[in-house]
Amino acid sequence: MKKIIKRPRALKDVPTHYCPGCGHGIAHRLVAEVIDDLGIREKVIAVAPVGCAVIAYDYWDFDCSEAAHGRALAVATAIKRVRPENIVFTYQGDGDLAAIGANETLHAANRGENLTVIFINNAIYGMTGGQMAPTTLLGQTTVTTPDGRISQIHGYPLKISEILATLPGVKYVERVSLTSPPEIIKAKIAIKQAFKNQMDKIGFSLVEILSACPTYWGMSANDALSWMKGTMSKEFPLGRIK
Amino acid sequence: MNDKILMSGNEALAEGAIRAGCKFYAGYPITPQNELTAYMAVNLPKAGGIFIQAESELAAINMVFGAAAAGARAMTSSSSPGISLKQEGISYIAGAELPSVIINVMRGGPGLGNISPSQSDYFQATRGGGHGDYHCLVLAPSSVQESLDLMPLAFNLADKYRTPVMVLSDGMLGQMMEPVSVHSPQSTVHSKKLPEKKWALTGCRGRKPNVVKSFYMQEGGLEKFNLSLQKKYSEIRNKEQRFEMTNVKDAEVIIVAYGIMARIAKSAMQDLNNAGRKVGLIRPVSLWPFPKNAFREIEKSKHFKSFLVVEMSYGQMIEDVLLSVADKSKVDFLGRSGGGIPAEAEIIDKLKKIIRR
């Protein structure tokens, strides 16, 4: 039998710790495939997030740094400035990038740092047990919004990609989703573009990936995908933003 | 050869860092250390380094984390309230064992306090400051010349032990100007015998991937790591005690003071020495590790009566002095804070009272 697809070199052959239906496994693999395709595994330095993907470096087979909660883009800024010849990217969740790290995100983007950002948006805090995120949808129930997110009390879902797209230092922003094979292929193309931009010294590039959290959404994996397609993608429209 | 130039303590810290091979600086403005940031903005790029004015103290210290992870000699500076904000990052730097230098030009606190000189961050500097079981190596200059001279040592110790090193100055020392010899023997780089940074993030060409982290999920993993940290701290305690002793041999009373306070205390000591009084001075240069060895011999002397600890705080270093003498000696205290500075005359009055006692 002919092997038509294999494990990317940049992804270790180890068991996953992610919940069933979680998007991190797919997103990790897409990043690893892109790094293989571009032949940059030995040049890449990743900044791993705080949250469910904190041990991303247990899966990826290249140099990685941790960062304190929200500080990934400050850490990445310095790594890239010290080693401009390396390819530096951050992999961050919505709490990390849009809440506690909003300041670091805004200013690294505004400085136009030549970095690649993989932004996983699952509209909830996973690792800490399903609390409201800045990206939580209106009406969405979480352990800290038991009656659903209410705009008058909790504010509105924060559209970080649209905000960043207004900054002159930001060169590329695209929102993709991990709901179906065609969407996953689009996600890979966007991730590749974001890495290519850095290689071509074009500047700050961010890919927002809508990703499922069936565990804390309280849904089956299938229902989670339907909710992403039907509800979440309405609040966070897919496609190129800048 | 007269190679002296006039500079402020803050500028001397910056110049010393550049001479020590600092290649990355990130900082956020706060008084009374702004001359340091401005000096770096002008002079670090000329020396082939990278200067970034960060968006906050948190970003600045985490930029230092990143630059150190990438293998550069990296530094930040701030003053008391800003250092409090940096504590999260300092804890992560200690946990990831990244060599880096942090300067605190202390001002009055707590809270916003004021911009007057103070020494009230001693506990924060020497006890960890952030969360977790860690220490920073802490060095305290007491002149503008020493502000310059201690910087290569600070970077070398950081690299040798893969640990954050804090240099503790204050608003008076930072802003006063003195003639400085920029070619003093101490001001050159002594980086021989330092370990290669094989752990640094450079891209994994020809080797297994490196991971810079302080996260240990597996049961027992963190305890094992923390024990290795403690072993390192024990080595630092044994090998890196630094102090200066003046006229202690026949002294009845010995002043213990550090930083700019030691300069004032020294004048008081000299005044009393000139009047025939037996007064000496111990000046800790390393605050962590605290130079306990300095106290060992003195307590055996027949002439010795007591220590007088003088601080620009209401008593912080005095706890280390008490631990060092372990109740065997009498320890007196003179301290002011919030911008108040113990004057030479106050110290002399106190010493006279102690001698008469």
Side-chain angles (χ1 to χ4, degrees), chain A residues 47-232:
Chain A
V47 182
V50 163
C52 291
V54 67
I55 54 171
Y57 42 73
D58 283 358
Y59 302 112
W60 285 327
D61 201 11
F62 41 76
D63 278 11
C64 287
S65 177
E66 73 175 12
H69 197 191
R71 320 288 172 231
L73 275 164
V75 171
T77 292
I79 294 174
K80 184 67 182 179
R81 295 280 190 110
V82 169
R83 299 199 167 275
E85 69 282 10
N86 286 90
I87 303 299
V88 183
F89 77 95
T90 67
Y91 183 100
Q92 301 176 262
D94 38 46
D96 199 28
L97 184 135
I100 190 169
N103 198 31
E104 281 80 358
T105 304
L106 196 66
H107 286 277
N110 193 45
R111 284 191 302 266
E113 300 291 344
N114 188 25
L115 293 167
T116 303
V117 181
I118 308 299
F119 168 34
I120 307 294
N121 177 1
N122 63 7
I124 205 158
Y125 284 27
M127 185 181 244
T128 46
Q131 297 84 359
M132 181 185 73
T135 47
T136 294
L137 270 55
L138 290 178
Q140 189 183 340
T141 303
T142 71
V143 298
T144 50
T145 55
D147 299 321
R149 182 173 191 166
I150 300 161
S151 63
Q152 294 91 331
I153 300 171
H154 311 110
Y156 295 89
L158 193 63
K159 292 180 182 171
I160 203 87
S161 288
E162 280 81 353
I163 292 169
L164 293 183
T166 64
L167 302 173
V170 174
K171 301 301 178 194
Y172 172 69
V173 184
E174 180 144 0
R175 188 182 284 123
V176 295
S177 178
L178 304 178
T179 47
S180 65
E183 294 298 334
I184 290 169
I185 289 168
K186 280 188 205 163
K188 184 177 169 181
I189 292 166
I191 292 169
K192 192 177 273 184
Q193 188 62 49
F195 275 96
K196 271 188 185 163
N197 288 350
Q198 186 178 164
M199 293 165 79
D200 296 340
K201 300 183 168 54
I202 286 170
F204 193 93
S205 301
L206 180 142
V207 180
E208 176 175 343
I209 303 175
L210 304 188
S211 173
C213 180
T215 299
Y216 290 111
W217 292 353
M219 297 178 195
S220 71
N222 270 338
D223 289 349
L225 291 179
S226 303
W227 187 76
M228 281 171 78
K229 276 183 209 158
T231 309
M232 194 179 176

Side-chain angles (χ1 to χ4, degrees), chain B residues 12-323:
Chain B
L13 290 164
E15 179 61 29
I18 293 170
R19 281 168 186 274
C22 175
K23 290 291 176 217
F24 184 94
Y25 174 93
Y28 186 80
I30 181 170
T31 308
Q33 61 83 56
N34 293 317
E35 298 79 11
L36 203 167
T37 314
Y39 194 95
M40 280 300 202
V42 173
N43 295 295
L44 187 58
K46 285 184 197 164
I50 297 149
F51 170 87
I52 303 182
Q53 180 174 325
E55 61 270 29
S56 70
E57 283 88 351
L58 285 83
I61 190 69
N62 284 284
M63 286 175 186
V64 167
F65 182 107
R73 282 199 155 180
M75 181 177 105
T76 187
S77 64
S78 193
S79 180
S80 307
I83 292 291
S84 292
L85 288 170
K86 287 185 200 285
Q87 291 303 333
E88 172 200 68
I90 298 171
S91 168
Y92 275 75
I93 285 170
E97 295 192 278
L98 293 173
S100 50
V101 174
I102 300 123
I103 291 173
N104 182 359
V105 182
M106 290 183 282
R107 61 188 254 181
L112 195 51
N114 60 25
I115 58 167
S116 302
S118 179
Q119 292 182 324
S120 52
D121 303 346
Y122 181 94
F123 283 152
Q124 187 193 46
T126 58
R127 264 60 179 170
H131 61 281
D133 275 316
Y134 79 94
H135 284 284
C136 293
L137 236 146
V138 186
L139 302 175
S142 79
S143 66
V144 177
Q145 181 72 56
E146 203 182 16
S147 296
L148 182 102
D149 289 346
L150 280 180
M151 292 309 294
L153 176 68
F155 278 98
N156 288 349
L157 290 171
D159 278 340
K160 184 177 177 186
Y161 294 104
R162 289 182 58 184
T163 196
V165 174
M166 187 171 274
V167 176
L168 213 51
S169 180
D170 68 79
M172 191 193 311
L173 186 54
Q175 300 213 323
M176 69 190 222
M177 297 185 88
E178 290 185 305
V180 169
S181 168
V182 289
H183 298 298
S184 66
Q186 294 90 343
S187 71
T188 49
V189 185
H190 306 284
S191 50
K192 281 179 287 180
K193 288 190 230 162
L194 288 174
E196 231 184 299
K197 294 181 176 179
K198 288 182 180 163
W199 46 266
L201 304 178
T202 59
C204 61
R205 187 181 301 275
R207 60 161 170 77
K208 282 188 174 165
N210 283 340
V211 176
V212 168
K213 63 162 191 168
S214 61
F215 185 66
Y216 295 86
M217 185 85 133
Q218 258 77 37
E219 197 182 331
L222 179 58
E223 185 167 27
K224 197 175 154 203
F225 170 72
N226 278 351
L227 284 169
S228 79
L229 269 189
Q230 293 305 317
K231 203 177 151 199
K232 173 165 87 178
Y233 295 148
S234 165
E235 189 188 343
I236 294 172
R237 277 193 184 96
N238 290 332
K239 291 187 182 166
E240 305 300 344
Q241 293 185 30
R242 286 176 164 79
F243 53 92
E244 182 190 89
M245 294 203 288
T246 314
N247 301 342
V248 296
K249 209 175 169 194
D250 304 323
E252 291 176 37
V253 183
I254 293 171
I255 313 169
V256 189
Y258 71 97
I260 195 67
M261 200 60 249
R263 287 278 287 280
I264 302 166
K266 204 170 194 172
S267 293
M269 176 198 78
Q270 278 157 352
D271 240 44
L272 287 175
N273 286 165
N274 292 342
R277 311 278 195 172
K278 305 279 187 193
V279 177
L281 173 75
I282 294 176
R283 177 174 75 90
V285 175
S286 63
L287 300 180
W288 195 90
F290 192 72
K292 287 185 176 182
N293 294 348
F295 297 83
R296 294 284 177 269
E297 290 303 309
I298 289 157
E299 292 187 307
K300 292 177 195 161
S301 159
K302 284 179 290 197
H303 314 279
F304 173 74
K305 284 183 186 160
S306 66
F307 292 107
L308 171 63
V309 178
V310 188
E311 293 182 74
M312 281 148 61
S313 81
Y314 291 121
Q316 298 193 20
M317 182 180 70
I318 189 173
E319 295 199 359
D320 278 333
V321 174
L322 289 166
L323 285 168

